[in-house]
Amino acid sequence: MEQYKKEFIEFMVDCGVLKFGDFTTKSGRKTPFFVNTGFYRTGTQLRKLGEYYAKAIHDQYGLDFDVLFGPAYKGIPLSVATTMAISEFYQKDIKYCSNRKEVKDHGDTGILLGSPISDGDRVVIIEDVTTAGTSIGETMPILAAQGDVKVLGLVVSVDRMERGQGTKSALSEIEDNYHIATTAIVTMKEVVEHLYNNPYKGRIVIDDALKASIDAYYEQYGVQE
């Protein structure tokens, strides 16, 4: 596993973004782990997060694209932080763009924040975590309405590696439905691999009992791909 992936996993633990316990997802699944990027709350944390996203995008897609699109609301700071990191570390100026939940009819009008999107633009979408693909279903028509754009792919922070609406993972369903590539900074398999019985700051984050709960969850909701 690449070093930056290990560092990102520990970063999520430090920020309280990656939590273990008893949670319920939006889809109603009882889950022993939860990823909430709303717990990135400081400028320092957002700067580091942007660096990890930039590395994942660079590794998967390169930087030969024009716009990084972050769907409202959580995608807004993600797109800003990541385009800044790309500029700093790769000396590449990528435009950032997000949508509004409501169309603005005065001043800076329209549905978009940040850069306009034009015919011929190549777009990468950035999100926090995708479990059902609902946000992408809302985002693709917005992008299509801007002109003849090419969506290269989607990047998320964590691939939960569980079924979406059908038998495939949520990311695989997005690839099939929208014919775009997907990637994540890390997968839950990598998270477990790095944290299971591996002391971090003097404690075991994933012990045998928690590992058994995670395994049971994937027995029920996991995918074999």
Side-chain angles (χ1 to χ4, degrees):
M1 189 190 315
E2 294 92 331
Q3 182 62 30
Y4 83 91
K5 291 176 177 281
K6 297 177 182 178
E7 292 175 1
F8 179 64
I9 293 166
E10 295 169 359
F11 174 67
M12 287 193 293
V13 172
D14 289 342
C15 294
V17 168
L18 175 62
K19 293 181 178 293
F20 298 96
D22 296 309
F23 306 98
T24 302
T25 67
K26 286 182 181 178
S27 57
R29 296 175 181 175
K30 302 288 186 180
T31 174
F33 58 89
F34 196 71
V35 180
N36 184 356
T37 56
F39 279 88
Y40 295 121
R41 292 174 171 172
T42 72
T44 300
Q45 290 171 347
L46 277 179
R47 177 175 176 157
K48 287 296 296 181
L49 180 61
E51 293 173 16
Y52 290 122
Y53 267 110
K55 178 66 173 173
I57 290 170
H58 177 267
D59 285 359
Q60 177 67 23
Y61 304 116
L63 297 175
D64 190 21
F65 66 98
D66 306 293
V67 180
L68 187 63
F69 186 87
Y73 287 102
K74 287 185 177 178
I76 296 173
L78 297 181
S79 65
V80 174
T82 304
T83 51
M84 291 175 70
I86 291 172
S87 172
E88 180 176 357
F89 290 97
Y90 297 105
Q91 288 75 53
K92 173 76 173 182
D93 220 11
I94 301 292
K95 296 181 286 187
Y96 81 90
C97 182
S98 296
N99 64 295
R100 294 183 171 97
K101 289 290 189 179
E102 302 85 19
V103 177
K104 189 178 179 185
D105 58 6
H106 61 280
D108 182 17
T109 60
I111 196 171
L112 299 183
L113 294 163
S115 171
I117 297 177
S118 308
D119 283 349
D121 278 345
R122 296 155 300 172
V123 180
V124 172
I125 302 170
I126 185 170
E127 288 206 298
D128 56 348
V129 179
T130 295
T131 52
T134 306
S135 177
I136 293 298
E138 298 169 350
T139 299
M140 294 298 281
I142 294 171
L143 295 174
Q146 307 310 310
D148 182 17
V149 303
K150 171 68 173 176
V151 179
L152 300 183
L154 164 71
V155 58
V156 299
S157 60
V158 180
D159 179 359
R160 288 181 59 100
M161 300 182 67
E162 61 191 75
R163 294 196 310 273
Q165 305 289 349
T167 59
K168 292 186 175 182
S169 74
L171 290 181
S172 290
E173 287 179 353
I174 288 170
E175 291 180 349
D176 291 346
N177 292 338
Y178 301 103
H179 308 293
I180 63 175
T182 64
T183 194
I185 303 175
V186 294
T187 66
M188 274 307 298
K189 180 179 180 181
E190 290 170 329
V191 169
V192 173
E193 175 187 330
H194 184 55
L195 294 179
Y196 176 48
N197 280 345
N198 181 25
Y200 178 62
K201 293 188 174 178
R203 69 186 180 99
I204 299 294
V205 179
I206 300 180
D207 58 16
D208 289 339
L210 181 54
K211 174 67 159 53
S213 295
I214 294 171
D215 289 346
Y217 183 78
Y218 280 112
E219 281 290 322
Q220 186 171 4
Y221 297 115
V223 290
Q224 298 294 326
E225 296 186 83

